[in-house]
């Protein structure tokens, strides 16, 4: 599951949430007002290569399953959690220029942790069977953030065939943890001609964890009030933008594309950095036998080893260096064919007169930039508007998390009040422990259609 992939809401032209994944989407409403804190809620989690059932199923040897998982996964397998909450959302159509303006505030939590393959093998198996094999510290890669985002977007019709949009964003960082650019390795070399048959080396080590916003929470025992304050105004801010568009080839075929979250956050306040760096080589402990009877003291070998290690690989936990994090940029693209009943009829009053059909089928491509490259997905969908009150969308998504991800969106509107519910991986609901991903999205809002 790509945690931020909103394939069930993408291209759904009568839901305002589609503007967050494509500010240039073709939309069919004139105004929307989200119910505060309830207009858009999404929760998702997933892992590549492993499920809860793979480890904790009944029967068998759990230690064997853990070992199998450690050697099966690699350092590109990831564990992902994402949560979004729309705090405020509203939009309106300007009747003079037909532009649609939308704005709001949402909170987001995003966590990605890559599987530290080499470190896991070293911790579980030790180094006895891996002589002359380096264990890379770069396998440790974690990024986590809690932010709030103020945004304002414009959706503009350029012609009957082309609609474009853009959205400006102001990021407020609440908490950030980032450890993604680690270097160096540990290796045990065979040295038959040395003072010991084995030599242990830490080479070019540079392991860093940057944090912002975390220190005041841990040191001051701050509560929800401080988090709420930072969600409104934070000392660590950033800027970004979204762009997108929709092109209509003819009455039945359209194409869309968007780039979301091109931006960065600049962390300058409430900082704490942790760092281990340096080089260290040891051939083991050379035993000495002091003359205890004549008053010579015993040698504290372990303390000497520890002091020597700390001198060569110093641990720093009071640094306050500023740093910058880039937002996980997302790319969407789709091709859509509409057919069946024309929802506009003979009226050009909605969607700038572009034909809207009751049934739509299409393909959507998605990609998100992560610390170790782009995670991608491809989705095929069938979107059906049954009547003025009821709409469904069914998707099949193939990605690194699953090859059998079936999703379903249900949206209903009574008068102006809209409720929608979208969920992925419905085939796994009989036993969620076997699922490598799961997500749910829902919301309540007022949507005003053209009169």
């Amino acid at each position: 599951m790509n945690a931020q992939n909103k394939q069930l809401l993408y291209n759904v032209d009568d839901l305002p949430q589609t503007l967050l994944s494509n500010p240039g989407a073709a939309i069919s409403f004139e105004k929307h007002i989200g119910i505060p804190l309830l207009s858009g809620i999404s929760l998702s989690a997933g892992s590549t290569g492993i499920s809860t059932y793979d480890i904790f199923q009944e029967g068998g040897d759990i230690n064997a399953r853990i070992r199998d998982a450690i050697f099966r996964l690699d350092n590109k397998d990831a564990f992902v959690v994402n949560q979004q909450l729309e705090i405020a959302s509203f939009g309106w159509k300007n009747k003079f220029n037909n532009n649609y303006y939308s704005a709001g505030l949402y909170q987001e939590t995003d966590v990605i942790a890559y599987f530290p393959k080499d470190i896991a093998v070293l911790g579980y198996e030790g180094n006895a069977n891996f002589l002359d094999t380096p264990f890379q510290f770069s396998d440790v890669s974690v990024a986590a953030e809690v932010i709030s985002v103020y945004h304002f977007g414009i959706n503009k019709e350029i012609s009957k065939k082309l609609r474009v949009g853009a959205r400006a964003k102001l990021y407020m960082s609440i908490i950030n943890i980032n450890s993604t650019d680690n270097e160096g390795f540990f290796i045990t070399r065979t040295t038959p001609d040395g003072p010991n048959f084995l030599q242990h080396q830490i080479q070019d080590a540079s392991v860093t964890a940057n944090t912002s916003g975390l220190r005041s929470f841990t040191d001051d025992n701050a509560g929800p009030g401080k988090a709420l304050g930072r969600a409104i105004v934070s000392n660590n801010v950033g800027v970004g933008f979204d762009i997108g568009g929709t092109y209509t080839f003819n009455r039945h075929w359209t194409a869309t594309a968007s780039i979301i979250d091109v931006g960065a956050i600049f962390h300058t306040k409430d900082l704490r950095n942790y760092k281990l760096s340096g080089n260290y080589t040891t051939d083991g402990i050379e035993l000495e036998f002091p003359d205890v009877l004549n008053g010579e003291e015993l040698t504290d070998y372990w303390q000497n080893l520890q002091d020597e290690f700390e001198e060569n690989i110093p641990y720093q936990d009071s640094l306050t260096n500023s740093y910058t994090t880039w937002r996980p940029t997302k790319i969407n693209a789709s091709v859509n064919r509409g057919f069946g009943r024309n929802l506009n009829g003979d009226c050009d009053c909605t969607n700038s007169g572009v034909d809207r059909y009751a049934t739509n089928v299409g393909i959507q491509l998605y990609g998100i930039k992560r610390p170790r490259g782009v995670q991608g997905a491809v989705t095929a969908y069938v979107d059906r508007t049954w009547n003025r009150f009821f709409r469904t969308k069914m998707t099949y998504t193939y990605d690194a998390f699953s090859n059998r991800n079936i999703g379903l969106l249900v949206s209903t509107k009574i008068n102006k009040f809209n409720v929608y519910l979208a969920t992925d991986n419905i085939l796994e609901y009989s036993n969620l422990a076997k699922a490598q991903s799961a997500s749910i999205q829902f919301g309540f809002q007022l949507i005003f259609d053209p009169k």
Side-chain angles (χ1 to χ4, degrees):
M1 184 282 312
N2 289 283
Q4 298 188 31
N5 188 6
K6 299 294 191 298
Q7 71 270 26
L8 284 164
L9 299 179
Y10 192 78
N11 275 354
V12 181
D13 60 4
D14 57 4
L15 288 180
Q17 283 69 29
T18 195
L19 291 171
L20 293 177
S21 55
N22 181 6
I27 54 176
S28 62
F29 47 88
E30 287 194 335
K31 183 168 62 174
H32 76 273
I33 302 173
I35 307 300
L37 302 177
L38 294 175
S39 60
I41 299 172
S42 69
L43 300 168
S44 56
S47 64
T48 61
I50 194 170
S51 68
T52 305
Y53 181 83
D54 292 337
I55 301 297
F56 297 104
Q57 59 182 282
E58 294 183 2
D61 184 353
I62 189 173
N63 293 317
R65 292 197 293 269
I66 292 173
R67 187 182 188 281
D68 177 69
I70 288 174
F71 282 91
R72 186 175 72 251
L73 299 174
D74 62 36
N75 63 4
K76 290 187 177 181
D77 284 305
F79 305 88
V80 183
V81 176
N82 184 264
Q83 166 270 325
Q84 287 188 1
L85 171 67
E86 284 188 9
I87 299 171
S89 173
F90 56 92
W92 70 97
K93 183 177 181 179
N94 187 311
K95 295 186 180 298
F96 297 101
N97 57 21
N98 286 329
N99 292 344
Y100 194 88
Y101 302 98
S102 58
L105 168 65
Y106 66 86
Q107 173 270 327
E108 179 177 353
T109 301
D110 188 55
V111 179
I112 181 168
Y114 286 95
F115 181 67
K117 173 79 172 189
D118 282 6
I119 307 305
V121 170
L122 179 62
Y124 193 82
E125 290 280 302
N127 60 344
N129 296 323
F130 301 94
L131 301 180
D132 299 309
T133 300
F135 294 91
Q136 303 290 342
F137 299 141
S138 59
D139 277 8
V140 178
S141 183
V142 178
E145 63 180 357
V146 182
I147 64 172
S148 60
V149 183
Y150 292 93
H151 59 92
F152 178 80
I154 301 175
N155 182 287
K156 181 177 181 60
E157 179 191 17
I158 303 300
S159 68
K160 293 294 185 182
K161 288 184 173 291
L162 179 63
R163 179 175 289 273
V164 298
R167 184 173 305 280
K169 292 183 171 179
L170 179 65
Y171 305 114
M172 298 285 172
S173 177
I174 302 171
I175 294 176
N176 182 270
I177 301 171
N178 188 276
S179 180
T180 57
D181 296 315
N182 299 308
E183 299 176 346
F185 61 89
F186 167 78
I187 188 171
T188 299
R189 301 186 187 276
T190 53
T191 55
D193 299 327
N196 193 352
F197 186 77
L198 299 177
Q199 184 181 77
H200 309 284
Q201 296 180 350
I202 294 177
Q203 294 292 313
D204 303 320
S206 179
V207 180
T208 303
N210 296 315
T211 72
S212 73
L214 189 63
R215 183 176 64 175
S216 59
F217 277 95
T218 56
D219 294 352
D220 303 338
N221 295 317
K226 174 163 278 191
L228 180 60
R230 288 186 187 165
I232 298 172
V233 178
S234 173
N235 290 321
N236 299 308
V237 301
V239 293
F241 66 89
D242 307 340
I243 57 173
T246 300
Y247 185 80
T248 301
F249 293 101
N250 54 46
R251 296 189 62 182
H252 295 278
W253 287 94
T254 59
T256 71
S258 66
I259 303 176
I260 307 298
D261 274 328
V262 180
I265 299 177
F266 310 99
H267 304 273
T268 59
K269 302 293 183 181
D270 196 12
L271 303 170
R272 179 168 287 173
N273 318 108
Y274 305 86
K275 187 171 185 177
L276 277 168
S277 61
N279 295 276
Y280 180 63
T281 300
T282 178
D283 294 301
I285 297 174
E286 182 178 350
L287 296 177
E288 298 176 355
F289 300 94
D291 189 351
V292 179
L293 295 178
N294 291 326
E296 292 187 23
E297 296 183 356
L298 294 172
T299 302
D300 191 341
Y301 297 106
W302 293 113
Q303 186 61 50
N304 291 345
L305 187 65
Q306 179 180 338
D307 293 342
E308 186 179 314
F309 179 86
E310 291 177 352
E311 180 181 350
N312 288 275
I313 310 287
Y315 172 60
Q316 300 168 282
D317 63 355
S318 58
L319 302 174
T320 56
N321 299 324
S322 300
Y323 65 99
T324 299
T325 56
W326 293 92
R327 296 288 293 136
T329 300
K330 296 161 281 289
I331 298 176
N332 295 283
S334 75
V335 176
N336 181 91
R337 187 183 191 281
F339 57 92
R341 179 168 54 93
N342 191 336
L343 300 178
N344 282 353
D346 296 326
C347 175
D348 283 353
C349 55
T350 63
N351 203 24
S352 302
V354 175
D355 292 305
R356 296 180 61 237
Y357 291 97
T359 303
N360 291 272
V361 296
I363 298 289
Q364 178 201 344
L365 301 178
Y366 168 83
I368 179 171
K369 185 181 181 300
R370 288 301 196 177
R372 292 216 168 118
V374 176
Q375 293 178 344
V378 58
T379 297
Y381 65 85
V382 178
D383 185 347
R384 171 74 174 175
T385 300
W386 300 91
N387 50 47
R388 329 188 295 184
F389 312 107
F390 192 64
R391 181 171 185 167
T392 60
K393 181 179 180 180
M394 181 166 283
T395 60
Y396 167 75
T397 300
Y398 178 88
D399 56 25
F401 297 85
S402 175
N403 60 4
R404 46 175 286 168
N405 182 353
I406 303 296
L408 178 65
L409 163 74
V410 176
S411 175
T412 184
K413 187 168 70 170
I414 301 175
N415 197 359
K416 297 176 177 60
F417 184 72
N418 167 254
V419 179
Y420 70 88
L421 172 66
T423 184
D424 271 348
N425 270 300
I426 58 178
L427 296 180
E428 306 292 353
Y429 274 32
S430 60
N431 188 348
L432 281 176
K434 292 184 177 181
Q436 290 183 204
S437 66
S439 73
I440 187 170
Q441 305 164 67
F442 62 92
F444 307 87
Q445 56 205 334
L446 300 176
I447 299 176
F448 301 79
D449 291 329
K451 296 180 180 179

